[in-house]
């Protein structure tokens, strides 16, 4: 199963093509603005690097937050539009879920740093039990 993964929730555009758990291609461009202009080219570059075509996609996954509201809107809109054009499912995944190790058993807490607002340092947090969010 070939999955396109997109993350525009932070200070970068992250794209990966994953097939059956193996990463075929990935790209990251740090940017605070301009994801809407760069994301299509970054995705196309990963597709070329992997030697695949858009028609090979089985699914598209996109990070739905937490993070930059505008960045999330760009990523979700692009992923949804591409999924509709290719007639493949589009799945939303939180950044906290994505940070959880695959196959995690028992209880876990995932913490991701939020924007820093000196002197405070804030975090996004989520509790999981055997891979399922519980709080």
């Amino acid at each position: 199963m070939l999955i396109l993964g997109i993350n525009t929730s932070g200070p970068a555009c992250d794209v990966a093509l994953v097939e059956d758990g193996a990463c075929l291609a990935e790209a990251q461009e740090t940017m605070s603005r301009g994801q809407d202009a760069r994301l299509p080219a970054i995705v196309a570059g990963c597709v070329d690097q992997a030697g695949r075509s858009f028609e090979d996609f089985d699914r598209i996954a996109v990070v739905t937050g937490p993070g930059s509201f505008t960045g999330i809107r760009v990523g979700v809109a692009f992923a949804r539009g591409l999924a509709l054009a290719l007639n493949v499912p589009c799945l939303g995944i939180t950044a906290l879920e994505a940070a959880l190790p695959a196959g995690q058993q028992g209880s876990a807490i995932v913490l991701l740093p939020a924007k820093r607002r000196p002197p405070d340092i804030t975090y996004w947090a989520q509790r999981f039990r055997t891979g399922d969010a519980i709080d």
Side-chain angles (χ1 to χ4, degrees):
M1 177 174 294
L2 184 63
I3 301 170
L4 169 66
I6 298 170
N7 180 8
T8 56
S9 66
C13 271
D14 301 309
V15 174
L17 276 177
V18 177
E19 185 170 42
D20 300 326
C23 184
L24 303 180
E26 63 183 317
Q28 178 186 58
E29 285 191 24
T30 301
M31 60 184 68
S32 59
R33 295 184 180 166
Q35 291 95 334
D36 56 332
R38 287 293 303 141
L39 184 57
I42 295 169
V43 170
C46 276
V47 171
D48 288 344
Q49 180 184 348
R52 299 301 181 94
S53 71
F54 286 90
E55 291 76 22
D56 295 334
F57 293 170
D58 294 302
R59 282 199 178 128
I60 297 172
V62 61
V63 172
T64 59
S68 162
F69 179 70
T70 301
I72 292 167
R73 286 187 327 179
V74 167
V76 169
F78 179 84
R80 181 69 178 138
L82 187 57
L84 287 170
L86 298 174
N87 196 30
V88 297
C90 184
L91 307 170
I93 310 223
T94 71
L96 296 157
E97 290 171 309
L100 191 68
Q104 189 276 327
Q105 298 295 310
S107 296
I109 297 175
V110 174
L111 297 170
L112 295 176
K115 283 188 174 183
R116 293 179 181 222
R117 293 190 176 110
D120 298 327
I121 299 174
T122 57
Y123 291 88
W124 287 302
Q126 177 75 59
R127 285 185 8 174
F128 293 89
R129 182 164 295 129
T130 313
D132 295 325
I134 56 174
D135 283 335

